[in-house]
DNA sequence: CGTCGTTGTCTGCGTGGCGT
DNA sequence: ACGCCACGCAGACAACGACG
């Protein structure tokens, strides 16, 4: 069995923790800026590297260039290895895990069931609404913070990270067609040529598939809208001259929306399509059923004694 | 001269646009 | 009408250049 320790790979790249990191002055300044961003957004941690980058551009006078972004990514790696940037502050969702839950014994399993009933018992919180809402996000890195808002309404958040393959669109369309009310997709993506085309292609494909299966779906562009640029003072860039697709005006990445603004936009978007009284009634019903469920668990406990 | 920073490259899939 | 190419996206690695 090989023994692993902090070390350097063949060509000098750090492995494990970096005990002796002596960043140069320029990098040290970058570290300070990143720490300021993390402090500013401590309510919304963890952030993706890209979200940090856009905040640096928007509020710290950084250039929005690919090389500056790469420099940030390299620093974030070294900085975390060296303990200067907290591990829990940066998120990367490109990882999946498959495993089964295990229990120490049957009693432990019952405890877990009670905990699940208490914390996770949910009714369909969209039950009784005239439409079924879904959030669709171009960037998978934004999903956790969108979910934080959407979950309380029972609204799912979808993302396939950049592009949407035809098999994904077909699967989802068939799922949409299974609902007895029309589906409304609230979409969040970049305001640039490929972002607009991704959105159009998504809406047209899912719309066509869904129609064939007897369902109905509407697509709303929630963000980024051209009007958001002046409204929130977003960082823009000219469209890449190499991209010949027709596009007017400046481009904006979805990550340049500050996390708190994004949360507000989503909350308003959901509530504008929600009958709030129906929603509150479901919440009441849910709480009552949960309480009844927990009583059953407590009765089981007393029987044991 | 060792350590640190920069840059090109890779991954997979869909897109527009060009050439055949 | 088709194939092919460049490009976009995010993040990390390897090679090489620069700093101290």
């Amino acid at each position: 069995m090989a023994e692993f320790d902090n070390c350097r790979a063949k060509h000098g790249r750090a492995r494990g923790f970096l005990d002796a990191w002596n960043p140069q002055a320029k990098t040290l300044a970058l570290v300070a800026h990143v720490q300021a961003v993390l402090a500013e957004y401590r309510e919304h941690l963890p952030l993706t590297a890209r979200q940090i980058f856009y905040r640096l551009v928007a509020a710290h006078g950084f250039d929005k260039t690919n090389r500056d972004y790469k420099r940030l990514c390299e620093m974030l790696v070294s900085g975390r290895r060296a303990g200067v940037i907290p591990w829990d502050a940066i998120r990367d969702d490109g990882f999946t895990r498959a495993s089964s839950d295990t229990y120490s014994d049957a009693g432990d399993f019952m405890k877990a069931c009670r905990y699940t009933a208490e914390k996770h018992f949910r009714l369909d919180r969209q039950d009784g609404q005239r439409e079924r809402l879904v959030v669709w996000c171009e960037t998978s890195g934004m999903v956790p913070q969108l979910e934080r808002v959407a979950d309380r309404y029972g609204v799912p958040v979808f993302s396939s990270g950049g592009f949407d393959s035809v098999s994904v669109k077909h699967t989802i369309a068939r799922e949409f067609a299974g609902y007895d009310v029309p589906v409304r997709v609230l979409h969040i993506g970049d305001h640039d040529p490929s972002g607009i085309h991704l959105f159009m292609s998504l809406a047209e494909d899912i719309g066509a598939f869904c129609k064939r299966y007897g369902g109905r779906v509407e697509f709303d562009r929630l963000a980024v809208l051209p009007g958001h640029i002046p409204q929130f003072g977003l960082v823009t860039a000219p469209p890449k001259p190499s991209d010949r697709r027709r596009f007017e005006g400046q481009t904006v990445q979805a990550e340049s929306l500050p996390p708190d603004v994004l949360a507000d936009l989503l909350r308003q978007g959901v509530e504008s399509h929600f009958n709030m009284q129906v929603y509150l009634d479901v919440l009441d019903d849910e709480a009552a059923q949960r309480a009844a469920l927990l009583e059953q668990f407590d009765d089981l406990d007393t029987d044991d004694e």
Side-chain angles (χ1 to χ4, degrees):
Chain A
M1 181 76 178
E3 218 169 285
F4 295 109
D5 202 348
N6 303 331
C7 56
R8 292 201 166 266
K10 205 170 158 190
H11 294 287
R13 178 167 273 268
R15 302 290 187 211
F17 292 103
L18 195 44
D19 296 326
W21 187 46
N22 298 303
Q24 298 168 12
K26 193 180 167 189
T27 302
L28 220 44
L30 178 59
V31 169
H33 283 291
V34 169
Q35 286 171 336
V37 171
L38 295 179
E40 183 187 2
Y41 284 145
R42 59 185 169 280
E43 305 286 322
H44 298 276
L45 298 182
L47 302 174
T48 62
R50 208 135 184 103
Q51 287 172 320
I52 293 171
F53 177 60
Y54 279 106
R55 193 56 190 163
L56 290 175
V57 175
H60 295 254
F62 279 66
D63 288 338
K64 188 183 167 294
T65 59
N66 206 33
R67 44 190 296 276
D68 277 17
Y69 174 65
K70 286 186 166 189
R71 198 164 80 85
L72 171 68
C73 288
E74 290 295 333
M75 187 284 278
L76 289 176
V77 171
S78 303
R80 278 175 290 174
R81 289 185 188 280
V84 176
I85 304 289
W87 289 99
D88 295 338
I90 317 286
R91 205 181 60 230
D92 178 6
D93 304 314
F95 175 74
T96 42
R97 166 203 310 249
S99 64
S100 302
D101 295 333
T102 61
Y103 306 91
S104 56
D105 55 29
D108 185 35
F109 176 75
M110 287 305 284
K111 266 190 213 162
C113 287
R114 191 193 187 286
Y115 180 85
T116 304
E118 186 180 353
K119 299 292 180 189
H120 300 298
F121 172 75
R122 291 266 291 254
L123 295 178
D124 174 8
R125 294 184 176 182
Q126 295 204 61
D127 196 29
Q129 300 291 337
R130 284 166 48 211
E131 295 174 316
R132 177 148 297 261
L133 297 184
V134 165
V135 176
W136 198 297
C137 175
E138 191 180 315
T139 325
S140 58
M142 298 172 87
V143 170
Q145 62 188 109
L146 294 172
E147 193 188 6
R148 221 173 290 169
V149 177
D151 183 56
R152 80 176 74 115
Y153 302 101
V155 173
V157 180
F158 295 0
S159 175
S160 50
F163 63 89
D164 309 290
S165 70
V166 71
S167 48
V168 165
K169 290 190 275 199
H170 176 261
T171 302
I172 297 301
R174 198 161 47 184
E175 188 183 315
F176 284 178
Y179 291 116
D180 49 12
V181 292
V183 174
R184 181 174 297 278
V185 177
L186 306 175
H187 189 266
I188 294 160
D190 298 343
H191 181 64
D192 63 12
S194 63
I196 298 299
H197 279 85
L198 280 170
F199 175 64
M200 296 301 291
S201 142
L202 183 74
E204 289 165 5
D205 260 335
I206 291 188
F209 287 141
C210 194
K211 189 178 176 186
R212 178 68 63 89
Y213 288 121
R216 277 175 56 201
V217 59
E218 297 250 4
F219 283 78
D220 279 0
R221 185 82 168 163
L222 199 65
V224 178
L225 299 174
H228 292 153
I229 299 172
Q231 188 179 355
F232 304 118
L234 301 180
V235 180
T236 63
K240 297 217 161 64
S242 53
D243 198 333
R244 290 186 170 102
R245 287 174 285 197
R246 281 196 309 277
F247 186 81
E248 297 201 357
Q250 297 285 297
T251 72
V252 183
Q253 303 290 299
E255 280 100 335
S256 62
L257 284 165
D260 48 336
V261 169
L262 183 67
D264 283 344
L265 283 173
L266 179 56
R267 191 171 39 74
Q268 289 161 16
V270 170
E271 291 192 358
S272 70
H273 294 288
F274 245 45
N275 181 329
M276 290 304 282
Q277 192 51 58
V278 170
Y279 166 65
L280 293 172
D281 289 346
V282 173
L283 286 189
D284 284 346
D285 190 10
E286 181 184 292
Q289 292 201 39
R290 183 184 301 114
L293 193 55
L294 289 176
E295 267 180 39
Q296 291 183 37
F297 276 102
D298 294 342
D299 288 349
L300 282 175
D301 278 356
T302 5
D303 291 349
D304 284 349
E305 288 163 17

